[in-house]
Amino acid sequence: MSELKVPDDPLQPTTKDETVSVGGTVTLTCQVEESDNSSLQWSNTAQQTLYFGEKRALRDNRIQLHRSTSTELSITISEVQLADEGEYTCSIFTMPVRTARASVTVLGVPSKPQISGSEAAVPEGGEVTLTCTSSGSKPPAQLHWYRGTERLEARQDVVESTPGEPTYSVRSEVTLTVSRADDNELVTCAVVHPSLALGDKRSSQALHVLYSPDVKIFPQSDLPKEGERFRLTCEGSGNPEPTTFSWQKKDGELGPLVKIDGAYLYFDMLNKSDNGVYLCQAGNGIGSLGQGEYTLLVQDPTAMAAGTGVDHAVIGGVVAVIVFILLCLLIVLGRYLIRHKGTYLTHEAKGSDDAPDADTAIINAEGGTSGAEDKKEYFI
């Protein structure tokens, strides 16, 4: 969009170029620096008069008067179409007539992109080619690919003009090598065009990847005990879900009380001979079989109970020691307090024995040592 240019001639009209998208509204403004009471006029690309001052000249309800003064004539065109593109003329009927032109550029808005090529599932490690198309853009749009938030490198866009219209169709292709991590991952095609805000028009498709199962074995409990019933469950995550399961014991045979039921391995009564590593294989017809393993360690319930008793005995012993220490501390503290109190009473008694009256007894009690020394000096 160019700015209004003020000419040296104060009666020379000035305009500015405008850009608008299909379906939008554009405002055309014509101004003069000074007025000599001459009327301003707007004409379309076919030189048909649209407005002469405040008077409508062309019966097109999309075109409305926006502002009319002695120095300005502004009109709006709503629901803009591609056919509205071109040069519009503003004239002022002075002697001679003065004119100015404004170029209106109409942007063709691209359609929402369409993605094809991801309908069928692809085996892990295979390639998939996706195609994205968008039509109706002017100038030609650009197509960008994303996997998640990662921008993908794609082939150069193919641009084709639309027969009978000034718009274009754009096509883009991207080829991906897929892994199991790409299963259900979204791939997005986004349209980039000056008529759109960033991210306004985009489409996404999920990838479908076929891959062999990942297998894990889950125990019925974390502490299987001898003599109990027990179960191992084999779970496989794959695309498609696994349909076949097989069990075996590594470096040994399954016990006589062990039964296989598809994804489950049942132990009717656990014993020490069941200890070992158990393997489960699951298949879904894609690639090799998936395998998981679990190490079974059967616990002796008697030893577990004895261990619990030992733990309780240890805790009881610790508590008894703590109580004994506290009792000893209380006895020592009591003896100290009793001795301290007896010493205080002895000193007080010494002061009262040698005193002729109560006041002297108190004084002697406070300074009993010096009084004894004075008494010793007297006899010497």
Side-chain angles (χ1 to χ4, degrees), residues 229-295:
R229 291 178 60 86
F230 186 67
R231 181 185 69 247
L232 292 177
T233 303
C234 183
E235 292 188 2
S237 59
N239 187 20
E241 292 294 324
T243 55
T244 61
F245 298 88
S246 63
W247 289 91
Q248 66 183 62
K249 186 178 182 182
K250 191 174 182 180
D251 302 328
E253 298 292 333
L254 295 177
L257 297 179
V258 180
K259 298 178 182 179
I260 298 175
D261 184 9
Y264 302 97
L265 188 66
Y266 291 99
F267 297 80
D268 287 341
M269 183 179 295
L270 285 173
N271 58 64
K272 293 290 186 179
S273 63
D274 292 322
N275 285 342
V277 178
Y278 289 82
L279 305 177
C280 173
Q281 291 185 327
N284 60 357
I286 305 297
S288 58
L289 296 176
Q291 179 172 288
E293 65 177 48
Y294 174 78
T295 301

Side-chain angles (χ1 to χ4, degrees), residues 340-374:
H340 183 71
K341 183 176 181 181
T343 303
Y344 172 77
L345 292 173
T346 302
H347 286 309
E348 190 179 60
K350 286 181 181 179
S352 61
D353 288 343
D354 298 333
D357 52 40
D359 293 338
T360 306
I362 294 173
I363 295 171
N364 288 343
E366 294 175 352
T369 303
S370 60
E373 291 176 354
D374 293 344

Side-chain angles (χ1 to χ4, degrees), residues 86 92 102 110 136 224 291 299 323:
I92 182 170
Q291 179 172 288
Q299 307 294 320
V323 171

